[in-house]
Amino acid sequence: MRFSVTSQMEYEVFSSSTLILNIHALKTPHQTIYKESLSITPHLEHVELITAQGENRFVRVEVPEPCALKIKYSAEVDNVIEFIDHEYLDDVAVAELDADILPYLYPSRYCQSDKLYRLANNKFGHIQNAYIKVVEITDWIYRNVEYLSGSTNSQTSAYDTVTEQAGVCRDFAHLGIALCRALTIPARYFTGYAFQLDPPDFHACFEAYLGGKWIVFDATRLTPLNGLVKIASGRDAADTAIASIFGSVVCGAISVSTQCMEKKFEPFFYTSDTLKGLNYL
Amino acid sequence: MRFSVTSQMEYEVFSSSTLILNIHALKTPHQTIYKESLSITPHLEHVELITAQGENRFVRVEVPEPCALKIKYSAEVDNVIEFIDHEYLDDVAVAELDADILPYLYPSRYCQSDKLYRLANNKFGHIQNAYIKVVEITDWIYRNVEYLSGSTNSQTSAYDTVTEQAGVCRDFAHLGIALCRALTIPARYFTGYAFQLDPPDFHACFEAYLGGKWIVFDATRLTPLNGLVKIASGRDAADTAIASIFGSVVCGAISVSTQCMEKKFEPFFYTSDTLKGLNYL
Amino acid sequence: MRFSVTSQMEYEVFSSSTLILNIHALKTPHQTIYKESLSITPHLEHVELITAQGENRFVRVEVPEPCALKIKYSAEVDNVIEFIDHEYLDDVAVAELDADILPYLYPSRYCQSDKLYRLANNKFGHIQNAYIKVVEITDWIYRNVEYLSGSTNSQTSAYDTVTEQAGVCRDFAHLGIALCRALTIPARYFTGYAFQLDPPDFHACFEAYLGGKWIVFDATRLTPLNGLVKIASGRDAADTAIASIFGSVVCGAISVSTQCMEKKFEPFFYTSDTLKGLNYL
Amino acid sequence: MRFSVTSQMEYEVFSSSTLILNIHALKTPHQTIYKESLSITPHLEHVELITAQGENRFVRVEVPEPCALKIKYSAEVDNVIEFIDHEYLDDVAVAELDADILPYLYPSRYCQSDKLYRLANNKFGHIQNAYIKVVEITDWIYRNVEYLSGSTNSQTSAYDTVTEQAGVCRDFAHLGIALCRALTIPARYFTGYAFQLDPPDFHACFEAYLGGKWIVFDATRLTPLNGLVKIASGRDAADTAIASIFGSVVCGAISVSTQCMEKKFEPFFYTSDTLKGLNYL
């Protein structure tokens, strides 16, 4: 499925600063970038970086002096999505996990799985199939956590959200990840562009490692699972912030758009009928 | 400097379990392993794994059925330590950091640097040289945090320690890391064997990225900086737990020893006279 | 019902200190003290104090110099307990609450009801009768929180327990109180002697203000509701600590006993058959 | 000194609700109300309540049905302030404290003094005179905590503020109270009208119990200490919220004014020259 994505951000920069931006569509075996452009006004030095394991591709922009900064990214991206029957999506034993998957079992800044162990096991421990377990987790989050813009901030973590039960996509994702890890299911943060998200914005959801694949889940139900374009994955939002800012900078307007370039798009959500997982990478 | 290290751990295993053990001395350009042995009683299948960036080398042990488990590791390790004058140990601008260093700027489970930004800047922001800054941070921790066995647990984080002002080596390290990151200095957890640590045990301290090198710091002052044998580095203790246990296991006795195999060992600590940083790699 | 209670505490006192002890049975219209004795060895000056609203009767002991301190309290207490049918135990509208009841609606140190609002309403908001609501709260705590000695400490609060799901009687009580207040039901901490508690100890549970009466609830189910002798009530454990210590003192052995002095004691617990609330005061 | 105070609040009420408002000037031996009026539009049933110990005088308003609600309070208040030399303002031993003062030593919702014990003693424990100790506490807060509107919310507590070092008057007060209690100095929250506060608003500061008197302190330095009209005191903001709302209500505009009715007002702040404490009650 081909998508056209754009994002535009404005910053008021007051001093020499560095910005790290996670807005580029990721290049993966399943996600191909056809056209891509990044425009920075005024023109500034910048560099594209990719983390060692390729789960993150970002630009670092040097802003040598105060200015009104505009950044515009656009790309056309082709996604191949794999649908996998839930029978193939069971737990991978810790004994079988690769060294680079293990860190996704450990607690992180916003996903304190170590504190959710009993709660996760009380609520979901009895469920046999791992895919069904994660579907139940996302359903529970959907039913119990209110999507409420402005109810949380950049310090809010899964430990807060599990009790306070309000948040935005980032908080829904963190809670899903923390519950998975508490059940010994590796899970990671997924940030991306999302088709049919209303209002349009960057989106966050999460991936659980089932049957040896990263399967995407979204507890917000705000956007079809097959309409995502991945920007990055990481342990949580600390790794994949849209913008990390070093210097005196105030964020202005942000606009994001995601269009499907094909005529026919059939929105896909997990339901009790479709016991299939969706793998982006 | 050559060291002989051993560690011995006993576990009572009640069900089929997996253990991930971070007890091996790390292989680095500066740390060479001469002899090494791992004995597992009863004999069990295990595999040695190394993370992608080589900062962590661990064994995963499968325990198929209940047993009394004994693990003994021993090694002879040669360390080359580099002493670097503080003039060469200044901040590296974010604009110059490699992609694999950047994550050590971000907050992690036990090092919520995002919450310590004002405190760190109020206390240490005025200090020019980055090496002096980190020395001041460790001095402040040493003077204000009481080393008190049993005062904290596996959930205690830098955010707790900065206020509660009691803890063990792990807590001292987490607080040092969090304060560095809050000042835009990459910092990571260092776990290892420590000569002259009394009573002998595994030890934790931290490294700050200064002048393009990882320089070791230890706010506990419990062990000479040149007596360390590195096991692993990571974002915090979540990445480098001595033992991560999946299954029903109770930890029994642990014993650790670190001997210097050379006649002459001159303990080295940072002082106001010796403005040099020490790099283990 | 008549009970004989005793408690004995030993302290090692290292400096001039003051102790505030909440170990006396409270005098209320429904709880009469027949015999009572307090022995302090060595003999020390002390004074009995009662808070303005009579919910707390404590002794303050001056320890002028280091000593090995022994305190022994014993009393015979007669309780009149009122059983009230749940139909009479509904919410009291905020508009009808007395000024001295209102503070029990507000969050306190260990009962952060302000953070549990959504969770409490999601879980229990749909239940009509307030008595049934509180019974459901205690049942939920009983089913989800593991009673685990040593799992918590004096800083643990309801906000921790609701997620970490382990604790002791104090934690069970704090969580019950916090959930009630989040549902606009005044609730307070109850500390006392408890018949048939095994092993014998001081006990904590809570009271909810229903139908104009303080009705006792105990989410631990460790002791019959009609076997309690009240020591104090307060907002939470901060108000009613068994011992508040000012000075350098180490706590030694504590022993507590509660005997029923009547031949026939029929343990009473809330069940779905007995929709009655039990009022101690 | 005579002051004229007014406050006006607007609410959009969506369902039958109850409001508890702490906006009345308190009646104390030192604070006399000359004229007072409360207007509620539309006209609604309400009742004035006073807590048992008189530290809180509030109105409870019944709103039977949806409406646009306007509340206006105005009063003329005469204050007699006592200035007490710091030599008379030393610690009161716990052994000498009245039963109704003791609760102000205990931790409360927003003032977790139990977690600040080491920090408070490390920073301020060496200071002899208790008045100087509290002055140093407020100076430290003033220097280290940034006054930043919107940086905190109704859940922010002293434990947050001591580390995050930003907040509003309420947070400054909570931190001062928590530090005092950690040093065994009873302390309580003070909410009131404040002359020369810019922009005009309700204000919060705190009182410490020194030499047997409640002495007022204000770490914000935003308003003269002799320009306050007390509304209430309590353990913390949980006891003395300007408005506690039970029902579906949205808060609209608030306006507050405090005028001095005498020609000559000499603003008084604590300085190193004036070692005097100021007692409102």
Side-chain angles (χ1 to χ4, degrees):
Chain A
M1 193 70 60
R2 188 168 296 200
F3 296 94
S4 159
V5 302
T6 63
S7 56
Q8 200 164 342
M9 289 131 97
E10 297 181 11
Y11 296 101
E12 194 67 36
V13 179
F14 296 103
S15 70
S16 156
S17 300
T18 302
L19 276 75
I20 292 176
L21 300 172
N22 267 293
I23 56 176
H24 280 52
L26 196 62
K27 291 174 183 166
T28 76
H30 287 198
Q31 186 167 286
T32 311
I33 317 294
Y34 282 95
K35 295 181 192 170
E36 187 174 61
S37 74
L38 179 71
S39 108
I40 301 178
T41 317
H43 183 74
L44 291 173
E45 212 178 315
H46 61 276
V47 59
E48 185 184 314
L49 297 166
I50 298 178
T51 53
Q53 286 159 287
E55 75 280 29
N56 211 328
R57 173 180 167 236
F58 53 95
V59 286
R60 186 167 58 196
V61 183
E62 295 308 306
V63 194
E65 52 192 24
C67 67
L69 180 64
K70 262 194 204 180
I71 288 163
K72 182 170 181 181
Y73 172 79
S74 60
E76 281 184 34
V77 182
D78 216 37
N79 261 337
V80 179
I81 293 170
E82 193 184 0
F83 290 87
I84 304 169
D85 194 90
H86 79 290
E87 289 176 25
Y88 300 98
L89 298 178
D90 216 333
D91 272 332
V92 182
V94 175
E96 308 294 331
L97 292 174
D98 285 348
D100 59 340
I101 301 293
L102 283 168
Y104 295 108
L105 275 182
Y106 301 149
S108 61
R109 169 65 183 92
Y110 300 110
C111 305
Q112 305 96 327
S113 45
D114 54 314
K115 293 186 161 203
L116 299 178
Y117 179 78
R118 272 195 190 78
L119 184 148
N121 280 280
N122 280 348
K123 273 197 202 309
F124 308 105
H126 63 284
I127 304 168
Q128 282 300 313
N129 177 268
Y131 168 84
I132 306 281
K133 216 180 258 188
V134 186
V135 166
E136 291 284 322
I137 286 172
T138 52
D139 284 355
W140 181 82
I141 295 171
Y142 175 77
R143 285 194 315 271
N144 287 282
V145 181
E146 187 177 351
Y147 194 97
L148 198 57
S149 291
S151 60
T152 55
N153 61 35
S154 68
Q155 297 190 353
T156 305
S157 69
Y159 188 64
D160 303 312
T161 305
V162 73
T163 297
E164 303 199 24
Q165 307 199 335
V168 297
C169 59
R170 159 194 170 107
D171 306 301
F172 282 60
H174 285 153
L175 182 49
I177 293 166
L179 290 168
C180 285
R181 292 183 190 162
L183 294 160
T184 319
I185 299 172
R188 66 185 189 186
Y189 195 76
F190 177 123
T191 172
Y193 294 91
F195 183 48
Q196 295 183 343
L197 181 62
D198 184 23
D201 202 347
F202 293 109
H203 192 53
C205 54
F206 73 102
E207 294 173 304
Y209 193 72
L210 304 173
K213 307 264 186 179
W214 285 110
I215 305 301
V216 71
F217 291 89
D218 184 353
T220 70
R221 294 193 197 168
L222 288 177
T223 182
L225 289 168
N226 56 340
L228 297 165
V229 171
K230 187 187 268 202
I231 292 173
S233 49
R235 295 212 191 166
D236 60 25
D239 280 357
T240 58
I242 296 300
S244 299
I245 293 172
F246 302 89
S248 177
V249 176
V250 168
C251 188
I254 292 184
S255 73
V256 176
S257 106
T258 308
Q259 301 302 328
C260 185
M261 301 180 73
E262 300 185 24
K263 281 201 180 143
K264 205 173 144 192
F265 176 84
E266 289 184 32
F268 178 82
F269 293 89
Y270 296 143
T271 66
S272 49
D273 296 338
T274 58
L275 295 175
K276 291 183 222 166
L278 200 150
N279 174 29
Y280 265 86
L281 167 68
Chain B
M1 192 71 61
R2 188 168 296 200
F3 296 94
S4 159
V5 303
T6 63
S7 57
Q8 201 162 343
M9 289 130 97
E10 298 180 12
Y11 296 100
E12 194 67 37
V13 179
F14 296 103
S15 70
S16 157
S17 300
T18 302
L19 277 74
I20 292 176
L21 300 172
N22 266 294
I23 56 175
H24 279 53
L26 196 62
K27 291 173 184 166
T28 77
H30 287 199
Q31 186 166 286
T32 311
I33 317 295
Y34 280 95
K35 296 181 190 168
E36 188 174 61
S37 73
L38 179 71
S39 108
I40 300 178
T41 316
H43 183 73
L44 291 173
E45 210 179 317
H46 62 277
V47 60
E48 184 184 314
L49 296 167
I50 299 178
T51 52
Q53 286 160 287
E55 74 281 26
N56 212 329
R57 172 181 169 234
F58 53 94
V59 287
R60 186 167 57 195
V61 183
E62 294 309 307
V63 194
E65 51 191 26
C67 67
L69 181 63
K70 259 193 207 182
I71 288 162
K72 183 171 180 180
Y73 172 78
S74 60
E76 281 183 34
V77 182
D78 216 37
N79 261 337
V80 178
I81 293 169
E82 194 184 357
F83 290 86
I84 303 170
D85 194 90
H86 80 291
E87 289 176 24
Y88 301 98
L89 297 178
D90 215 333
D91 272 333
V92 182
V94 175
E96 309 294 330
L97 292 173
D98 285 348
D100 59 340
I101 302 293
L102 282 168
Y104 295 108
L105 275 182
Y106 301 149
S108 61
R109 170 67 183 89
Y110 300 110
C111 305
Q112 305 96 328
S113 45
D114 54 314
K115 293 186 162 204
L116 299 178
Y117 178 77
R118 275 194 187 79
L119 184 148
N121 280 281
N122 279 348
K123 272 197 203 308
F124 307 106
H126 63 285
I127 302 168
Q128 282 299 313
N129 177 269
Y131 168 83
I132 306 281
K133 217 180 254 187
V134 186
V135 166
E136 292 282 323
I137 286 172
T138 53
D139 285 356
W140 180 82
I141 296 172
Y142 175 76
R143 286 194 315 270
N144 286 282
V145 181
E146 188 176 351
Y147 194 97
L148 198 58
S149 290
S151 60
T152 55
N153 60 34
S154 68
Q155 297 190 354
T156 305
S157 70
Y159 187 66
D160 303 313
T161 305
V162 73
T163 296
E164 303 200 23
Q165 307 200 336
V168 297
C169 60
R170 158 193 170 106
D171 306 301
F172 282 61
H174 284 153
L175 182 50
I177 293 166
L179 290 169
C180 286
R181 292 182 190 163
L183 294 160
T184 320
I185 298 172
R188 65 185 189 185
Y189 195 76
F190 177 124
T191 173
Y193 294 91
F195 182 47
Q196 296 184 342
L197 181 63
D198 183 24
D201 202 346
F202 293 108
H203 191 53
C205 54
F206 73 102
E207 294 173 305
Y209 193 72
L210 303 174
K213 306 264 184 178
W214 284 110
I215 305 301
V216 71
F217 292 88
D218 184 352
T220 70
R221 295 194 196 167
L222 288 177
T223 183
L225 288 169
N226 56 340
L228 297 165
V229 171
K230 187 187 269 201
I231 292 173
S233 49
R235 295 213 191 165
D236 60 25
D239 279 357
T240 59
I242 295 301
S244 298
I245 293 171
F246 301 89
S248 178
V249 176
V250 168
C251 188
I254 291 185
S255 73
V256 176
S257 108
T258 308
Q259 301 301 327
C260 184
M261 301 181 72
E262 301 185 24
K263 281 201 179 141
K264 207 172 142 193
F265 176 84
E266 289 183 32
F268 178 81
F269 292 89
Y270 296 143
T271 66
S272 50
D273 297 338
T274 58
L275 295 175
K276 291 182 222 165
L278 200 151
N279 174 28
Y280 268 87
L281 177 67
Chain C
M1 191 73 60
R2 187 168 297 201
F3 296 94
S4 159
V5 302
T6 63
S7 56
Q8 202 164 343
M9 289 130 98
E10 296 181 14
Y11 296 100
E12 195 67 36
V13 179
F14 296 103
S15 70
S16 157
S17 300
T18 301
L19 277 74
I20 293 177
L21 300 171
N22 267 295
I23 56 176
H24 280 54
L26 196 62
K27 291 173 182 166
T28 76
H30 287 198
Q31 186 167 288
T32 311
I33 317 295
Y34 280 95
K35 294 180 192 173
E36 187 174 59
S37 74
L38 179 71
S39 108
I40 300 178
T41 315
H43 183 74
L44 291 172
E45 212 177 315
H46 61 277
V47 59
E48 184 184 316
L49 295 167
I50 298 176
T51 52
Q53 285 159 286
E55 75 281 28
N56 212 327
R57 172 182 168 234
F58 53 94
V59 286
R60 186 167 59 195
V61 182
E62 295 308 306
V63 194
E65 53 192 24
C67 67
L69 181 63
K70 262 194 204 179
I71 288 163
K72 183 171 181 180
Y73 172 79
S74 60
E76 281 183 34
V77 182
D78 217 39
N79 262 336
V80 178
I81 293 170
E82 194 184 359
F83 290 87
I84 304 169
D85 193 274
H86 80 291
E87 290 176 23
Y88 300 98
L89 297 179
D90 216 332
D91 272 332
V92 182
V94 175
E96 307 294 331
L97 293 173
D98 285 347
D100 59 339
I101 302 293
L102 283 168
Y104 295 108
L105 276 182
Y106 301 149
S108 61
R109 170 66 183 89
Y110 301 110
C111 305
Q112 304 97 326
S113 45
D114 54 314
K115 293 185 162 205
L116 300 178
Y117 179 78
R118 274 194 190 77
L119 184 148
N121 280 280
N122 279 349
K123 273 198 201 308
F124 308 106
H126 63 283
I127 303 168
Q128 282 300 313
N129 177 268
Y131 167 84
I132 306 281
K133 216 179 257 188
V134 186
V135 165
E136 292 283 322
I137 286 172
T138 53
D139 285 355
W140 180 83
I141 296 172
Y142 175 77
R143 286 193 315 269
N144 287 281
V145 181
E146 188 177 350
Y147 195 97
L148 198 58
S149 290
S151 60
T152 55
N153 60 35
S154 67
Q155 297 189 354
T156 305
S157 69
Y159 187 65
D160 303 313
T161 305
V162 73
T163 297
E164 303 199 23
Q165 305 198 338
V168 297
C169 60
R170 158 195 171 107
D171 305 302
F172 282 61
H174 284 153
L175 182 49
I177 293 166
L179 290 169
C180 285
R181 291 184 191 162
L183 295 160
T184 320
I185 298 172
R188 65 186 189 186
Y189 196 77
F190 177 124
T191 172
Y193 295 90
F195 183 49
Q196 295 182 342
L197 181 63
D198 184 25
D201 202 345
F202 293 108
H203 192 53
C205 54
F206 73 101
E207 295 173 305
Y209 194 72
L210 303 173
K213 307 265 185 178
W214 285 109
I215 305 301
V216 71
F217 291 89
D218 184 352
T220 70
R221 294 194 197 167
L222 288 176
T223 183
L225 289 168
N226 57 339
L228 297 165
V229 171
K230 187 188 269 201
I231 292 174
S233 49
R235 294 211 192 168
D236 60 26
D239 280 356
T240 58
I242 296 301
S244 299
I245 293 171
F246 302 89
S248 178
V249 176
V250 168
C251 188
I254 292 185
S255 74
V256 176
S257 107
T258 309
Q259 301 301 328
C260 184
M261 302 181 73
E262 301 185 24
K263 283 204 177 140
K264 204 173 144 192
F265 175 84
E266 290 185 31
F268 177 83
F269 293 89
Y270 297 143
T271 66
S272 50
D273 297 338
T274 57
L275 296 174
K276 289 182 224 169
L278 198 149
N279 174 29
Y280 267 87
L281 166 66
Chain D
M1 191 73 60
R2 188 168 296 199
F3 296 93
S4 160
V5 303
T6 63
S7 57
Q8 202 163 342
M9 289 130 98
E10 296 180 14
Y11 296 100
E12 195 68 35
V13 179
F14 296 102
S15 69
S16 156
S17 301
T18 301
L19 277 74
I20 292 176
L21 300 171
N22 267 293
I23 55 174
H24 279 54
L26 196 62
K27 291 173 183 167
T28 77
H30 287 199
Q31 185 167 289
T32 311
I33 317 296
Y34 280 95
K35 295 182 191 168
E36 189 174 59
S37 73
L38 178 72
S39 108
I40 300 178
T41 314
H43 183 74
L44 292 173
E45 212 178 317
H46 61 277
V47 59
E48 184 184 315
L49 296 167
I50 299 177
T51 52
Q53 285 159 287
E55 75 281 25
N56 212 327
R57 172 181 167 235
F58 53 95
V59 286
R60 186 166 59 196
V61 182
E62 296 307 308
V63 194
E65 53 191 25
C67 66
L69 181 62
K70 261 194 207 181
I71 288 164
K72 183 171 179 179
Y73 172 77
S74 60
E76 281 183 32
V77 181
D78 217 38
N79 261 336
V80 178
I81 294 170
E82 194 184 359
F83 289 88
I84 304 169
D85 193 273
H86 79 291
E87 290 177 22
Y88 301 98
L89 297 179
D90 217 333
D91 272 334
V92 182
V94 175
E96 308 294 331
L97 292 173
D98 285 348
D100 59 340
I101 302 293
L102 282 167
Y104 295 107
L105 276 182
Y106 301 149
S108 61
R109 170 67 183 88
Y110 301 110
C111 305
Q112 304 96 327
S113 44
D114 53 314
K115 293 186 160 202
L116 300 177
Y117 178 77
R118 274 194 189 77
L119 184 149
N121 280 279
N122 279 349
K123 272 198 203 306
F124 307 106
H126 63 283
I127 303 168
Q128 282 300 312
N129 177 268
Y131 168 84
I132 306 282
K133 216 179 256 185
V134 186
V135 165
E136 292 283 322
I137 287 171
T138 52
D139 284 356
W140 181 82
I141 296 171
Y142 175 76
R143 284 193 316 269
N144 287 281
V145 181
E146 187 177 351
Y147 194 97
L148 198 59
S149 290
S151 59
T152 55
N153 61 34
S154 68
Q155 296 190 354
T156 306
S157 69
Y159 188 64
D160 303 312
T161 305
V162 73
T163 296
E164 303 199 22
Q165 306 199 337
V168 297
C169 59
R170 158 195 170 106
D171 305 301
F172 282 61
H174 284 153
L175 182 48
I177 293 166
L179 290 169
C180 285
R181 292 183 191 162
L183 295 160
T184 320
I185 299 172
R188 66 185 189 186
Y189 195 76
F190 177 125
T191 173
Y193 295 90
F195 183 47
Q196 295 183 341
L197 182 62
D198 183 25
D201 202 344
F202 292 108
H203 192 53
C205 54
F206 73 101
E207 294 173 304
Y209 194 71
L210 303 174
K213 307 265 184 178
W214 285 109
I215 305 300
V216 71
F217 291 88
D218 184 353
T220 70
R221 295 195 197 165
L222 288 177
T223 182
L225 289 168
N226 57 340
L228 297 165
V229 171
K230 187 186 269 200
I231 291 173
S233 48
R235 295 209 190 170
D236 60 26
D239 280 356
T240 58
I242 296 301
S244 299
I245 292 171
F246 303 89
S248 178
V249 176
V250 168
C251 188
I254 292 186
S255 74
V256 176
S257 109
T258 308
Q259 301 302 328
C260 184
M261 302 181 72
E262 300 185 25
K263 282 201 178 142
K264 206 172 141 191
F265 176 82
E266 290 184 31
F268 178 82
F269 293 89
Y270 296 143
T271 68
S272 49
D273 296 337
T274 57
L275 296 175
K276 290 182 223 167
L278 200 150
N279 174 29
Y280 266 89
L281 167 63

